[in-house]
């Protein structure tokens, strides 16, 4: 596998991770008002959003392992985590109307700058 293929798979992995989080958030909203009980274990069988989020996380996990076998951890982890954080924050604002403060926007800019610095050639 070439480095460009590994980076392409990383983009797919990040996309699946973000989609999983959005599905889990949607599914979790349907649980509001429920207490903690044993029945929560069976909830993904009744809640397709939770099930979809779990499946996407599973696929994402195996893609991450594959990419990890090709790229350095000290570059891969910050890029994957930072990118997912930025995308989830922005998409949560768009889809769920969650608040986004100036301080959070500043944090997003700092994360993006960090990703750029991590990806600069050595």
């Amino acid at each position: 596998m070439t480095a460009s293929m590994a980076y392409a798979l990383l983009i797919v992995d990040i996309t699946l991770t973000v989609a999983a989080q959005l599905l889990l958030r949607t599914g979790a909203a349907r649980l509001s008002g429920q207490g903690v009980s044993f029945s929560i274990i069976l909830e993904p069988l009744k809640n397709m959003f939770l099930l979809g989020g779990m499946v996407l996380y599973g696929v994402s996990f195996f893609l991450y392992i594959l990419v990890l076998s090709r790229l350095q951890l000290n570059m891969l982890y910050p890029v994957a985590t930072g990118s997912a954080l930025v995308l989830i924050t922005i998409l949560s604002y768009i889809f769920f109307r969650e608040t986004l403060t100036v301080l959070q926007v500043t944090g997003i800019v700092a994360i993006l700058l960090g990703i750029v610095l991590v990806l600069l050639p050595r």
Side-chain angles (χ1 to χ4, degrees), residues 31-93:
L31 295 177
S32 64
Q34 282 187 357
V36 177
S37 68
F38 179 74
S39 66
I40 194 113
I41 295 172
L42 300 176
E43 189 62 32
L45 299 176
K46 300 182 284 183
N47 187 327
M48 289 297 129
F49 293 105
L50 291 179
L51 182 62
M54 291 171 65
V55 168
L56 289 182
Y57 254 135
V59 174
S60 171
F61 172 78
F62 288 107
L63 271 178
Y64 183 80
I65 297 300
L66 181 61
V67 173
L68 187 57
S69 72
R70 301 293 189 246
L71 299 176
Q72 292 183 28
L73 180 61
N74 66 350
M75 183 282 308
L76 174 62
Y77 188 76
V79 170
T81 305
S83 299
L85 283 169
V86 168
L87 290 170
I88 289 167
T89 302
I90 293 168
L91 293 174
S92 294
Y93 173 77

Side-chain angles (χ1 to χ4, degrees), residues 3-25:
S4 60
M5 177 62 98
Y7 284 110
L9 288 176
L10 176 59
I11 291 169
V12 173
D13 169 58
I14 293 166
T15 303
L16 291 177
T17 299
V18 170
Q21 278 293 327
L22 296 174
L23 286 174
L24 291 174
R25 171 64 172 90

